[in-house]
């Protein structure tokens, strides 16, 4: 794999990638195994949002993730599974073993009637079968749609129905810290409102009792027993879909981002190697869940494409104690460690003894992802985990981008706290001003957009291309709009300042305000609601809801209502979307056209009561005073 090793080489490579993108990307792509090569590197239409990468090329991504390594790495650990409980032994799954697991799972899916193009919904805890399930789909050309195992049955059902998944893969239950989650029960509930699912493949993890429906539900260990562990890879076109992954948007309906095969492979393989400077034999650990894009690209695909050893951790950073991450790093001599600012902040507030108990000298590179990393967390990470000796790669990217877009390259790009620094080769970020013009001077601040197509960009929103165009390619004609704002310093370094839309990042999870408001509004006592984010020491942002009650709700006990509203949110979305503060108000500040002025609510939530700007244009300016007085 092409590996950039000096700043000079980065600059040269970057320039070339901008001046000769066809040549640049085809050289990178040459390093993978293709069944048939492309006849054109890419075609891009930023207006219609139509993109093709590696036109007419044929491949199978699992041949590149697994088979390709069987000649010389068959006994090397591919997945290092670290269970939730420290008392349960870790499992080293070699490339050979992974190959057998994936193929057997692939044959099981075929046995259940799954074929190329069918959607398979995966709802599993972080166990090796999750990796196998994802790769088994890719092996046979089925489109995987992984749903994070913290989502509620309503949210699961919405995702199954949107993608009309044919098969569901789940487990009896899952472990998370000292809790056990009834995953199969949640699936059973979800499936009451899903017609497309024909079979449920159930993995045994916790051994808990569960209701199995005859003719629909199968125990994986039973039905796979007599199936072969050899399975020829399906021949896929580079543009055939690889997976759907849902992300929040500004309406209640989640957006099923569709990723395709060839471009995604090339980009995740290339970026993994460079951003983590992975060397053969290194132990790499990304603490994300495979239910999110970070897990897809940088626990599974990116590392496996590079023949890496990738750690899969089932548990949480606080169980059985706050030393868990550091214990795992010491025990398995982790070389690259990739986590989220929210995890860093939550561990930084605990005693340093948890860190100092362990030998972290194996670490070479530290990574951060998912939200802006604040200065304090950056320095804590640098000082106490990296011992001022490991570059921190603050990686900016999105579900939609498929792979890391802006990030330092360790030992190549000088880092700067809170800055994601420079774009990776092939990525052309720009800042646009309010007149939609590119800002060419530095320093600058504006809307972060991307000017040129890249291989792993999402190709569409499943079933709704118009929404894809409207969301990403309409705000600024000719550009991909990220939804983020950013600063650029004199050196051209980017610092992401946060979302510019109605998405709030809470503990690294993207939450759209609309779906949460929809959930709250279903409460019989609620007339209307508005959600904003406010700064929170650990979560980055927490949620603050302003709720107008119906006449019937006004004599109810407010604390009880708060509990019921949060329960409503948990049931519709999941516990991650619960509100920290709920204030009951008699009205919401609205413009004359009836739009809620969230800007005002945000300021109140932040406790910044100094300057609301001109509120006289509001339909109901008097409400602002009332809301300020009742502020929580
Ligand atoms: C935010 C996660 C600042 C950003 C890979 C983006 C970040 C959204 C960073 C995508 C970072 C991600 N610095 N902000 N290093 N990384 N973000 O789809 O707002 O879960 O648009 O993808 O997270 O979140 P998503």
């Amino acid at each position: 794999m092409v590996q950039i090793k000096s700043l000079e080489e980065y600059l040269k490579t970057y320039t070339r990638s901008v001046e000769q993108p066809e040549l640049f990307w085809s050289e990178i792509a040459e390093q993978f195994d293709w069944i048939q090569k492309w006849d054109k590197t890419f075609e891009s239409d930023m207006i219609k949002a139509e993109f093709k990468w590696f036109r007419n090329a044929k491949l199978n991504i699992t041949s590149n993730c697994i088979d390709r390594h069987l000649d010389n790495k068959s006994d090397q650990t591919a997945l290092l599974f670290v269970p939730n409980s420290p008392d349960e032994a870790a499992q080293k799954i070699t490339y050979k073993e992974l190959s057998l697991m994936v193929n057997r799972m692939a044959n099981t899916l075929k046995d259940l009637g799954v074929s190329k193009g069918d959607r398979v919904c995966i709802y599993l805890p972080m166990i090796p079968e999750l990796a196998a399930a994802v790769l088994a789909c890719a092996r046979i050309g089925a489109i995987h749609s992984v749903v994070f195992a913290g989502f509620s049955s309503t949210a699961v059902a919405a995702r199954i129905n949107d993608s009309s998944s044919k098969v569901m893969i789940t487990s009896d239950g899952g472990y998370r810290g000292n809790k056990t989650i009834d995953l199969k029960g949640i699936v059973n509930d979800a499936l009451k409102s899903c017609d497309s699912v024909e079979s449920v493949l159930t993995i045994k993890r916790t051994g808990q009792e569960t209701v199995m429906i005859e003719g629909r539900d199968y125990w994986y260990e039973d039905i796979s027993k007599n199936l072969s562990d050899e399975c020829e890879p399906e021949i896929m076109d580079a543009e055939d879909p690889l997976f759907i992954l849902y992300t929040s948007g500004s309406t209640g309906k989640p957006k099923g981002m569709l990723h395709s095969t060839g471009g995604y492979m090339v980009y995740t393989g290339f970026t993994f190697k460079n951003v983590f400077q992975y060397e053969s034999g290194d132990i790499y650990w990304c603490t994300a869940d495979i239910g999110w894009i970070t897990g897809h690209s940088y626990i599974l695909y990116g590392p496996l494409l590079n023949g890496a050893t990738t750690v899969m951790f089932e548990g949480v950073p606080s169980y059985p104690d706050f030393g868990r991450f550091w214990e795992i790093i010491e025990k398995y001599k982790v070389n690259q460690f990739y986590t989220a600012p929210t995890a860093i902040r939550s561990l930084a507030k605990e005693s340093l003894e948890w860190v100092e108990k362990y030998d972290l000298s194996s670490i070479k590179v530290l990574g951060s992802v998912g939200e802006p990393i604040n200065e304090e967390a950056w320095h804590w990470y640098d000082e106490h985990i990296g011992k001022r000796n490991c570059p921190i790669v603050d990686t900016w990217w999105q579900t939609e981008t498929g792979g890391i877009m802006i990030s330092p390259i360790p030992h190549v790009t000088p880092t700067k706290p809170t800055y994601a620094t420079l774009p990776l080769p092939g990525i052309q970020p720009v800042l646009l001003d309010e007149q939609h013009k590119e800002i060419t001077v530095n320093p600058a601040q504006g809307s972060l957009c991307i000017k040129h197509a890249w291989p792993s960009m999402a190709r569409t929103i499943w079933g709704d291309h118009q929404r894809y165009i409207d969301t990403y390619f309409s705000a600024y004609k000719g550009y991909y709009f990220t939804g983020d704002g950013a600063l650029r310093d004199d050196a051209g370094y980017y610092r992401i300042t946060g979302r510019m839309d109605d998405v709030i990042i809470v503990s690294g999870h993207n939450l759209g305000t609309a779906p949460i408001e929809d959930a709250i509004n279903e409460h019989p006592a609620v007339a209307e609601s508005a959600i904003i984010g406010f700064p929170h020491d650990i979560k980055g942002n927490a949620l603050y809801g302003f709720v107008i009650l119906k006449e019937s709700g006004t004599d109810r006990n407010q604390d009880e209502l708060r509990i019921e509203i949060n329960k409503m949110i948990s049931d519709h979305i999941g516990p991650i979307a619960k509100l920290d503060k709920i204030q009951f108000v008699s009205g919401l500040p609205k413009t004359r056209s009836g739009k809620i002025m969230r800007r005002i609510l945000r300021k109140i939530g932040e406790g910044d009561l100094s300057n609301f700007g001109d509120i006289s244009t509001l339909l109901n300016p008097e409400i602002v005073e009332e809301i300020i007085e009742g502020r929580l």
Side-chain angles (χ1 to χ4, degrees):
M1 192 73 65
V2 173
Q3 189 178 1
I4 294 164
K5 293 216 153 151
S6 68
L7 189 58
E8 195 191 354
E9 197 184 341
Y10 161 77
L11 294 170
K12 245 173 54 195
T13 310
Y14 186 79
T15 307
R16 208 165 93 82
S17 77
V18 172
E19 287 172 357
Q20 298 176 295
E22 286 89 354
L23 256 177
F24 171 74
W25 284 116
S26 64
E27 272 177 32
I28 306 281
E30 287 288 347
Q31 303 180 31
F32 295 82
D33 281 354
W34 301 84
I35 298 163
Q36 179 183 302
K37 294 273 169 73
W38 48 100
D39 54 29
K40 192 159 187 233
T41 312
F42 67 85
E43 288 173 332
S44 157
D45 182 335
M46 298 282 264
I47 301 295
K48 293 193 192 139
E50 286 172 2
F51 309 97
K52 276 202 170 89
W53 280 85
F54 310 110
R55 198 180 66 185
N56 290 326
K58 307 281 181 244
L59 74 155
N60 186 288
I61 194 167
T62 67
S63 307
N64 282 273
C65 287
I66 303 172
D67 306 49
R68 180 178 204 209
H69 310 306
L70 293 181
D71 280 346
N72 54 13
K73 285 192 168 170
S74 73
D75 294 330
Q76 186 204 293
T77 305
L79 293 182
L80 174 53
F81 170 59
V82 180
N84 177 63
S85 162
D87 300 331
E88 187 181 335
Q91 271 179 51
K92 290 183 173 170
I93 298 165
T94 64
Y95 272 93
K96 179 72 203 166
E97 289 161 345
L98 181 63
S99 161
L100 302 177
M101 270 177 84
V102 169
N103 289 344
R104 186 183 296 275
M105 181 92 74
N107 285 326
T108 313
L109 290 174
K110 278 187 175 172
D111 205 47
L112 291 172
V114 177
S115 51
K116 183 173 173 177
D118 286 341
R119 274 78 60 208
V120 173
C121 179
I122 302 175
Y123 186 68
L124 281 172
M126 282 284 285
I127 54 177
E129 287 83 355
L130 168 54
V134 166
L135 296 166
C137 289
R139 188 77 174 173
I140 64 172
I143 304 173
H144 55 79
S145 164
V146 183
V147 176
F148 172 61
F151 276 115
S152 70
S153 58
T154 315
V156 177
R159 287 158 178 75
I160 296 172
N161 286 333
D162 185 77
S163 60
S164 41
S165 293
K166 185 170 182 179
V167 167
M168 182 86 210
I169 309 180
T170 189
S171 64
D172 47 0
Y175 297 119
R176 243 184 111 70
N178 52 17
K179 288 195 214 123
T180 308
I181 301 164
D182 179 17
L183 296 176
K184 180 62 164 49
I186 295 172
V187 167
N188 285 348
D189 245 11
L191 292 185
K192 288 182 191 145
S193 50
C194 303
D195 294 333
S196 61
V197 173
E198 294 169 8
S199 352
V200 180
L201 199 53
T202 314
I203 316 274
K204 254 191 199 132
R205 174 59 184 138
T206 56
Q208 68 201 83
E209 289 277 311
T210 185
V211 177
M212 297 291 280
I213 294 183
E214 178 84 33
R216 187 195 75 180
D217 302 353
Y218 305 91
W219 288 109
Y220 178 64
E221 56 184 16
D222 295 342
I223 99 164
S224 64
K225 213 167 32 210
N226 298 320
L227 296 174
S228 158
D229 48 24
E230 276 174 37
C231 175
E232 279 301 305
E234 185 75 28
I235 299 176
M236 304 295 285
D237 188 272
E239 279 302 316
D240 278 337
L242 177 63
F243 65 87
I244 300 172
L245 186 60
Y246 287 89
T247 186
S248 300
S250 45
T251 72
K253 202 167 161 347
K255 295 177 290 195
M257 304 313 306
L258 185 75
H259 281 280
S260 65
T261 309
Y264 179 82
M265 171 178 82
V266 169
Y267 197 74
T268 54
F270 170 68
T271 51
F272 173 77
K273 176 77 185 170
N274 283 282
V275 172
F276 298 101
Q277 292 284 311
Y278 185 87
E279 300 292 345
S280 189
D282 282 350
I283 311 291
Y284 163 87
W285 180 21
C286 165
T287 68
D289 192 287
I290 291 175
W292 311 114
I293 192 69
T294 305
H296 280 58
S297 302
Y298 299 108
I299 295 178
L300 289 183
Y301 287 113
L304 296 177
L305 286 164
N306 283 277
T309 297
T310 176
V311 175
M312 244 184 113
F313 175 48
E314 184 184 26
V316 294
S318 54
Y319 178 82
D321 58 47
F322 294 105
R324 192 72 197 278
F325 274 4
W326 323 127
E327 182 243 341
I328 294 173
I329 292 175
E330 176 185 277
K331 188 157 179 190
Y332 301 104
K333 301 200 167 39
V334 170
N335 302 111
Q336 291 89 2
F337 178 68
Y338 190 28
T339 194
T342 185
I344 299 169
R345 287 189 298 262
S346 74
L347 294 170
K349 82 172 192 339
E350 301 302 330
S351 161
L352 263 184
E353 283 170 28
W354 291 118
V355 179
E356 286 163 355
K357 260 171 83 173
Y358 299 100
D359 174 8
L360 306 180
S361 61
S362 56
I363 300 179
K364 299 193 280 188
V365 175
L366 293 172
S368 170
V369 61
E371 58 185 310
I373 179 165
N374 50 308
E375 187 112 22
E376 215 183 327
W378 196 99
H379 286 296
W380 186 87
Y381 202 28
D382 181 42
E383 204 173 310
H384 299 294
I385 309 305
K387 319 288 182 198
R388 293 220 171 93
N389 201 20
C390 304
I392 296 180
V393 291
D394 177 0
T395 63
W396 174 82
W397 59 297
Q398 310 178 294
T399 305
E400 295 85 339
T401 68
I404 297 168
M405 304 285 278
I406 304 182
S407 169
I409 297 176
H411 303 295
V412 169
T413 324
T415 59
K416 176 173 175 181
T418 76
Y419 280 75
T421 76
L422 298 173
L424 294 179
I427 304 305
Q428 299 184 35
V430 290
L431 295 180
L432 298 186
D433 65 17
E434 280 166 11
Q435 280 72 48
H436 296 199
K437 288 230 163 47
E438 277 182 35
I439 310 173
T440 50
V441 296
N442 289 339
Q445 174 161 22
S447 299
L448 180 64
C449 292
I450 313 289
K451 190 173 169 163
H452 191 281
W454 65 99
S456 65
M457 60 200 301
R459 298 297 190 265
T460 191
I461 291 175
W462 179 259
D464 197 349
H465 194 68
Q466 191 56 46
R467 188 174 180 200
Y468 183 60
I469 298 175
D470 294 345
T471 312
Y472 304 103
F473 297 91
S474 299
Y476 302 92
K477 280 267 174 304
Y479 299 90
Y480 166 82
F481 175 45
T482 65
D484 284 325
L487 302 172
R488 195 172 53 211
D489 74 2
D490 286 319
Y493 274 23
Y494 287 88
R495 172 186 183 162
I496 315 307
T497 47
R499 303 289 313 182
M500 297 176 76
D501 55 10
D502 291 341
V503 171
I504 303 169
I505 304 190
V506 179
S507 300
H509 303 314
N510 288 11
L511 298 172
T513 52
I516 303 175
E517 289 162 6
D518 289 353
I520 299 177
N521 298 349
E522 290 212 5
H523 189 289
V526 171
E528 199 183 350
S529 60
I531 303 294
I532 53 131
F534 70 97
H536 185 282
D537 281 353
I538 291 168
K539 301 179 187 181
N541 295 294
L543 300 176
Y544 191 139
F546 298 89
V547 176
I548 307 177
L549 293 173
K550 286 183 187 156
E551 188 67 47
S552 60
T554 45
D555 49 8
R556 292 276 322 270
N557 175 301
Q558 295 204 340
D559 285 335
E560 272 175 25
L561 276 175
R562 288 193 177 97
I563 293 169
E564 288 172 22
I565 287 173
N566 266 333
K567 166 104 179 30
M568 209 81 198
I569 297 173
S570 265
D571 290 348
H572 276 73
I573 301 162
I576 49 177
K578 284 206 253 181
L579 310 182
D580 272 36
K581 294 182 180 176
I582 301 178
Q583 179 180 351
F584 297 103
V585 294
S586 70
L588 292 165
K590 289 194 176 163
T591 62
R592 289 182 192 276
S593 59
K595 262 187 89 169
I596 298 171
M597 283 281 266
R598 287 173 197 275
R599 184 176 56 78
I600 292 177
L601 295 176
R602 259 183 233 126
K603 289 195 118 206
I604 297 176
E606 283 165 13
D608 171 8
L609 308 177
S610 56
N611 178 18
F612 288 109
D614 182 11
I615 60 169
S616 65
T617 57
L618 287 178
L619 197 61
N620 50 350
E622 69 291 346
I623 200 70
V624 176
E625 205 49 46
E626 180 207 301
I627 298 178
I628 291 175
E629 269 173 28
R631 191 164 64 89
L632 298 173

